[in-house]
Amino acid sequence: MAGSGNSALHVVELTGDSRQRGLQHGRQLRDSIQAAVDFYRHFFKEHLGLTAEGMARRASAFVEPTAQLNPLLMEEYEGIAEGSGQRLEDILALTGRYEITFEQVALGDCSNLFVGPGRSQDGHTLLGQSWDWRPEVMGFRAVLISRCDDQPDHVMVTECGQPGKYGFNQDGLGVVSAGLRCREKAATGRQLFTVLGRTILAQTGFDAACEVLEENAPLATVNVLVADDQGRAADFEATAGGICRHDLGRDEVYWHTNHCRHVLEPNHFENSRVRGLRWERLAAEQGPVEPETVQTWLADRSDGGNSISQHADPDKAHTASWLQTLCAIAMDLNRRQLWVSDGPASLSSYLKIGLN
């Protein structure tokens, strides 16, 4: 495992079929998963008035949709629960924490980036992700390197107890995502958006990956960006009006924060607007883009409290929307590699992780 102390970024290699990998995940990260369950029980009680049993009941609604969409992933969830000694509902609540929170609290977190092969130094497809969420989650983050018997191998950055958030697979597919602040707090479907992300990386081709989103709407209002190593990419905005697909060009540098860019929705989220303007300036820079360029952009602090690399503001510690960058992630889909920072990239170096 990489890192040290209570804020270690765990790096875990998992092997075998879905249930076996889940068991390994649960056993190796048992203490950190307990910390995650304890934190969200406290968070949901303090900010949503939701008891532990209420949280479990709410999470139980995600069992059937997940099992129907991705039976192998449900086997992985069951393995994580068994391996960690937790109830299945408590493990699903970790994945569904965004959707559960968003029912009452309008959040906005994360930003992501696509660099087409026509703009990159080596003609590769690059992705970037600023993962922004509660500072307490620094204590239970993980990188999962999954070498699978029953689906494509993949690498994902996530919270302990969750099978994956952002990453890529052995076939050169990558996925990143960000919350969307819209007039309505829910989109049109029943799926957890991180379950959709894992299901995308269970595919072997770009068209099949996009069909996952086109045919299975998320519950949350979110933005999901899907790309492959051939330079194909599409951005999906899921809102109460449905799913909007926007295809991206090979010569494009494209960013997304927490307001809609293609669906007509008001943007009253100042932090997202300012970060978007900064991404716009960075994307307009001349010259080829390298993975190191993306890493530097993700470390940007030019706009202080509204920067791409977000630092925790102690004045907001009592609020539900207290945020910081937990990890910055740069991916090269052709090399099957990612670089991940342990905390805000403006304060941390990058660790390189790959499948090869």
Side-chain angles (χ1 to χ4, degrees), residues 13 41 62 67 75 79 117 120 128 152 155 180 214 221 248 255 319:
E13 187 156 334
R41 282 178 178 168
F62 305 138
E75 291 182 17
S120 69
V155 176
L180 284 179
E214 292 170 331
T221 53
L248 306 176
W255 59 269
T319 70

Side-chain angles (χ1 to χ4, degrees), residues 110 129-132 141 157-159 165-166 325-327:
C110 307
Q129 173 80 45
S130 179
W131 174 22
D132 306 328
R141 299 158 301 136
V157 181
T158 190
E159 295 177 44
K165 286 182 179 295
Y166 322 107
T325 298
L326 301 176
C327 294

Side-chain angles (χ1 to χ4, degrees), residues 121-142:
Q121 176 71 48
D122 298 320
H124 292 184
T125 305
L126 309 179
L127 291 178
Q129 173 80 45
S130 179
W131 174 22
D132 306 328
W133 182 224
R134 300 281 303 193
E136 298 96 328
V137 178
M138 286 285 288
F140 44 88
R141 299 158 301 136

Side-chain angles (χ1 to χ4, degrees), residues 48-343:
L48 280 72
L50 194 63
T51 65
E53 288 306 313
M55 182 178 86
R57 284 195 300 272
R58 180 68 189 87
S60 68
F62 305 138
V63 173
E64 181 184 355
T66 301
Q68 287 181 346
L69 175 66
N70 195 332
L72 290 177
L73 183 58
M74 181 51 67
E75 291 182 17
E76 192 171 340
Y77 274 117
E78 290 169 349
I80 294 171
E82 181 181 342
S84 63
Q86 301 288 341
R87 296 182 300 179
L88 177 62
E89 292 81 5
D90 289 326
I91 292 300
L92 279 168
L94 301 181
T95 294
R97 57 87 170 159
Y98 182 87
E99 284 81 358
I100 295 171
T101 305
F102 212 83
E103 290 178 351
Q104 298 185 37
V105 181
L107 296 175
D109 61 320
C110 307
S111 57
N112 45 56
L113 178 75
F114 162 77
V115 179
R119 284 293 310 276
S120 69
Q121 176 71 48
D122 298 320
H124 292 184
T125 305
L126 309 179
L127 291 178
Q129 173 80 45
S130 179
W131 174 22
D132 306 328
W133 182 224
R134 300 281 303 193
E136 298 96 328
V137 178
M138 286 285 288
F140 44 88
R141 299 158 301 136
V143 182
L144 306 180
I145 306 169
S146 299
R147 304 190 187 277
C148 312
D149 292 345
D150 51 7
Q151 59 189 282
D153 295 351
H154 51 273
V155 176
M156 300 202 82
V157 181
T158 190
E159 295 177 44
C160 297
Q162 297 187 30
K165 286 182 179 295
Y166 322 107
F168 64 86
N169 73 7
Q170 69 181 56
D171 296 297
L173 287 170
V175 63
V176 291
S177 57
L180 284 179
R181 185 177 290 190
C182 303
R183 285 170 289 191
E184 301 293 335
K185 291 189 177 72
T188 58
R190 298 193 302 158
Q191 297 295 338
L192 298 172
F193 80 92
T194 51
V195 167
L196 291 170
R198 266 297 306 272
T199 305
I200 286 167
L201 295 191
Q203 312 308 309
T204 59
F206 178 74
D207 291 338
C210 291
E211 286 174 6
V212 170
L213 285 167
E214 292 170 331
E215 298 177 2
N216 303 279
L219 170 63
T221 53
V222 294
N223 177 79
V224 181
L225 201 163
V226 182
D228 74 359
D229 59 358
Q230 302 302 305
R232 293 173 291 187
D235 188 71
F236 295 86
E237 292 180 344
T239 71
I243 295 179
C244 174
R245 172 174 174 168
H246 176 74
D247 289 301
L248 306 176
R250 293 175 57 84
D251 297 326
E252 192 167 357
V253 176
Y254 177 87
W255 59 269
H256 212 295
T257 52
N258 310 118
H259 59 277
C260 289
R261 297 190 63 187
H262 308 291
V263 177
L264 187 59
E265 284 274 355
N267 175 24
H268 303 304
F269 188 14
E270 180 69 7
N271 178 281
S272 178
R273 186 188 69 81
V274 173
R275 281 183 290 123
L277 290 173
R278 182 57 182 157
W279 275 119
E280 190 71 32
R281 292 192 291 271
L282 293 170
E285 290 182 357
Q286 299 300 309
V289 180
E290 302 177 88
E292 292 78 10
T293 312
V294 176
Q295 294 171 36
T296 299
W297 289 350
L298 289 166
D300 186 84
R301 283 290 296 170
S302 62
D303 288 296
N306 293 322
S307 295
I308 292 169
S309 183
Q310 300 200 65
H311 295 183
D313 182 350
D315 292 337
K316 296 181 179 180
H318 64 287
T319 70
S321 56
W322 189 34
L323 303 176
Q324 74 161 68
T325 298
L326 301 176
C327 294
I329 309 157
M331 302 183 213
D332 185 324
L333 298 185
N334 297 74
R335 290 194 180 103
R336 312 296 196 264
Q337 290 179 344
L338 64 74
W339 295 261
V340 57
S341 68
D342 188 355

